[in-house]
């Protein structure tokens, strides 16, 4: 009889862009949690790693008066929807479960609007990671590089050995993800904040920024000829398969290694982009709950509660590659890269070195982010030299502000 009473629960319709193997496996953890409560899951996946396509679909749905129950969201996109009054008020669930005590302030800045919780943080991803194939590095006598010079020497070694040094997908958000880490390594935390959070014209137009573009040109010279338009997980597969040495990508890449039964420290290596060991640039996936008639539905409350439960935060993030959005979750079930990620996040939060990622919509609003994307990608594709790119960057941000 139990199954017939379960059918009475409404389904949740969830719009997201988690379509790769590792991501789909992680999302299954949430689906099963809800199914255990008798809540069905209507999946609405929209492929595209940065979520731009998903936001286009969402705008059409909301305009048509047919918002999904919950939508994966990032950074300023959440604040935009919240400020438009489109999101449900989750304060009752948050108060009952003590979210304010366990979610870091840097995440709360994107989960709350006017004192109201409007989304449930799923994780914290950090974006300044490098992933490497250990066998490829070992075969070429390469140690984990800790400086830019060591990194470029490793790239030269791999190129000479006939291995693609860097696996990369030529999409604007991927170019910007690499630029994020490169800029942090050159400008340092104060310069990064001045450029991408404060949008300071002097820093955007500085010699340091030119050096960042110069380094992007070095990276461009070390990707394969077929990089244009490649999805990020296909670039990760190149590292997994030993076709490439390194990939600069957020820690969602780890989910792909794990999905391929690879073991950190044995098959692959994870380390911070050279020159950013003390810093963490982050994005946090959250599920925005859309207002559906002025009250939070039982299904929305159950979904929000499930997302922030410590057991789910551990189980999901172990699979996803990210770290929990709550500070009180044990690292016992996490692998070496996960433990390192949790340790780095705690240290960066404590030392003031935790920064929202420009590339992932956590440093500046979408208009500015997209303006930066355009310049970074044009430079990466050879349309601008570094000096021109700096001038274009200053202009683009000034217009977009």
């Amino acid at each position: 009889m139990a199954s017939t009473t379960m059918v009475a629960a409404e389904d949740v319709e969830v719009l997201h862009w988690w379509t790769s193997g590792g991501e789909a496996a992680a999302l299954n953890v949430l689906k099963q949690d809800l199914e255990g409560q008798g809540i069905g899951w209507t999946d609405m996946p929209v492929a595209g790693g940065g979520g731009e396509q998903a936001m286009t679909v969402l705008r059409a749905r909301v305009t048509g008066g047919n918002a999904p129950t919950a939508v994966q969201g990032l950074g300023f996109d959440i604040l935009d929807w919240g400020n438009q009054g489109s999101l449900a008020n989750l304060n009752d669930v948050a108060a009952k479960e003590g979210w304010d005590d366990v979610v870091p302030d840097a995440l709360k800045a994107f989960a709350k609007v006017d004192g109201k919780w409007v989304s449930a943080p799923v994780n914290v991803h950090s974006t300044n990671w490098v992933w490497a194939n250990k066998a490829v590095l070992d075969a070429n006598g390469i140690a984990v590089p800790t400086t830019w010079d060591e990194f470029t020497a490793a790239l030269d070694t791999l190129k000479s050995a006939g291995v693609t040094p860097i696996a990369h997908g030529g999409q604007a958000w991927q170019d910007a993800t690499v630029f994020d880490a490169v800029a942090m390594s050159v400008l340092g935390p104060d310069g990064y904040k001045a450029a991408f959070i404060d949008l300071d014209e002097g820093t955007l137009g500085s010699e340091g920024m030119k050096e960042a573009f110069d380094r992007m040109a070095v990276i461009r010279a070390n990707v394969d000829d077929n990089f244009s338009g490649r999805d990020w997980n296909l670039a990760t597969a190149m590292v997994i398969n030993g076709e490439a040495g390194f990939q600069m990508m957020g820690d969602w890449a780890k989910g792909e290694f794990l999905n391929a039964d690879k073991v950190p420290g044995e098959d692959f290596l994870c380390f911070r982009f050279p020159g950013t060991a003390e810093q963490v640039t982050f994005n946090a996936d959250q599920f925005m709950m859309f207002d559906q008639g002025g009250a939070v539905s039982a299904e929305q409350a159950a979904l929000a509660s499930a997302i922030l439960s410590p057991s789910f935060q551990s189980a999901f993030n172990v699979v996803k590659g990210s770290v929990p959005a709550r500070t009180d979750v044990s690292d016992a079930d996490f692998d070496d890269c996960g433990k390192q990620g949790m340790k780095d996040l705690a240290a960066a939060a404590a030392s003031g070195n935790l920064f929202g990622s420009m590339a992932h919509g956590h440093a500046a609003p979408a208009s500015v982010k997209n303006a930066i994307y355009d310049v970074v990608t044009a430079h990466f594709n050879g349309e601008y030299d570094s000096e021109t790119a700096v001038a274009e960057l200053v202009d683009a941000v000034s217009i977009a502000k």
Side-chain angles (χ1 to χ4, degrees):
M1 283 303 290
S3 61
T4 55
T5 55
M6 279 187 175
V7 175
E10 294 285 328
D11 286 357
V12 289
E13 185 187 17
V14 183
L15 192 157
H16 64 89
W17 58 87
W18 281 332
T19 55
S20 78
E23 291 173 324
L27 199 57
N28 240 17
V29 176
L30 186 55
K31 290 181 192 176
Q32 287 165 359
D33 188 310
L34 288 167
E35 282 162 9
Q37 301 178 56
I39 296 168
W41 178 287
T42 302
D43 212 30
M44 194 177 172
V46 181
E52 288 100 299
Q53 292 92 323
M55 288 302 108
T56 303
V57 172
L58 175 61
R59 277 189 287 277
R61 287 284 304 268
V62 174
T63 304
N66 182 28
T69 320
V71 179
Q72 183 182 358
L74 292 174
F76 283 88
D77 287 339
I78 299 170
L79 301 184
D80 287 347
W81 287 110
N83 287 322
Q84 288 171 34
S86 300
L87 303 182
N89 181 349
L90 301 173
N91 275 3
D92 288 349
V93 185
K96 193 169 98 187
E97 305 196 352
W99 294 1
D100 274 302
D101 299 330
V102 295
V103 176
D105 288 344
L107 264 70
K108 277 189 244 181
F110 296 105
K112 297 176 81 169
V113 173
D114 296 332
K116 295 193 291 277
W117 283 90
V118 295
S119 64
V122 185
N123 59 18
V124 184
H125 274 301
S126 52
T127 60
N128 56 320
W129 287 104
V130 182
W131 307 90
N133 183 302
K134 187 174 186 298
V136 168
L137 265 56
D138 289 350
N140 289 283
I142 296 170
V144 169
T146 57
T147 65
W148 174 250
D149 287 346
E150 288 175 4
F151 187 53
T152 54
L155 300 180
D156 290 345
T157 299
L158 291 175
K159 196 176 243 186
S160 300
V163 177
T164 298
I166 295 170
H168 180 65
Q171 296 171 340
W173 73 270
Q174 293 190 61
D175 299 341
T177 299
V178 177
F179 185 68
D180 235 4
V182 170
M184 177 66 85
S185 72
V186 176
L187 299 170
D190 291 343
Y192 183 91
K193 178 179 180 296
F196 301 123
I197 297 172
D198 302 335
L199 307 179
D200 173 67
E201 199 166 294
T203 311
L204 288 165
S206 65
E207 274 301 308
M209 194 63 77
K210 180 179 176 295
E211 172 65 18
F213 279 110
D214 285 343
R215 292 186 181 188
M216 288 296 286
V218 173
I219 288 165
R220 169 66 183 85
N222 283 280
V223 304
D224 68 308
D225 291 339
N226 299 317
F227 77 99
S228 187
R230 176 187 289 137
D231 286 334
W232 69 270
N233 51 310
L234 300 182
T236 308
M238 291 170 64
V239 179
I240 292 171
N241 297 333
E243 297 161 33
F246 300 105
Q247 181 188 24
M248 281 81 86
M249 186 47 60
D251 48 18
W252 48 92
K254 189 183 78 172
E256 297 300 298
F257 285 97
L258 300 182
N259 206 43
D261 296 324
K262 301 300 180 186
V263 179
E266 292 178 22
D267 302 309
F268 68 98
L269 304 172
C270 56
F271 55 95
R272 295 288 169 187
F273 186 80
T276 70
E278 304 296 316
Q279 288 79 45
V280 171
T281 50
F282 79 91
N283 75 356
D285 289 299
Q286 307 201 30
F287 278 108
M288 308 182 271
M289 301 294 167
F290 274 75
D291 187 358
Q292 297 183 320
V296 175
S297 70
E299 292 75 31
Q300 281 180 322
L303 177 59
S305 176
I307 287 168
L308 262 299
S309 71
S311 58
F312 168 75
Q313 287 276 324
S314 178
F316 176 88
N317 286 298
V318 161
V319 177
K320 183 72 166 71
S322 41
V323 302
R326 328 174 34 126
T327 52
D328 60 343
V329 176
S330 164
D331 73 355
D333 290 339
F334 287 79
D335 59 35
D336 289 351
C337 290
K339 284 180 165 65
Q340 185 64 44
M342 291 173 81
K343 193 170 133 208
D344 289 353
L345 180 73
S351 66
N353 274 304
L354 180 61
F355 295 93
S357 157
M358 174 279 293
H360 294 271
H362 283 67
S367 57
V368 173
K369 178 191 80 171
N370 292 333
I372 296 173
Y373 273 19
D374 289 347
V375 176
V376 169
T377 290
H379 172 268
F380 199 75
N381 290 326
E383 292 173 37
Y384 303 143
D385 63 16
S386 296
E387 204 165 318
T388 308
V390 169
E392 291 287 340
L393 186 68
V394 171
D395 286 349
V397 171
S398 169
I399 292 163
K401 272 203 285 198

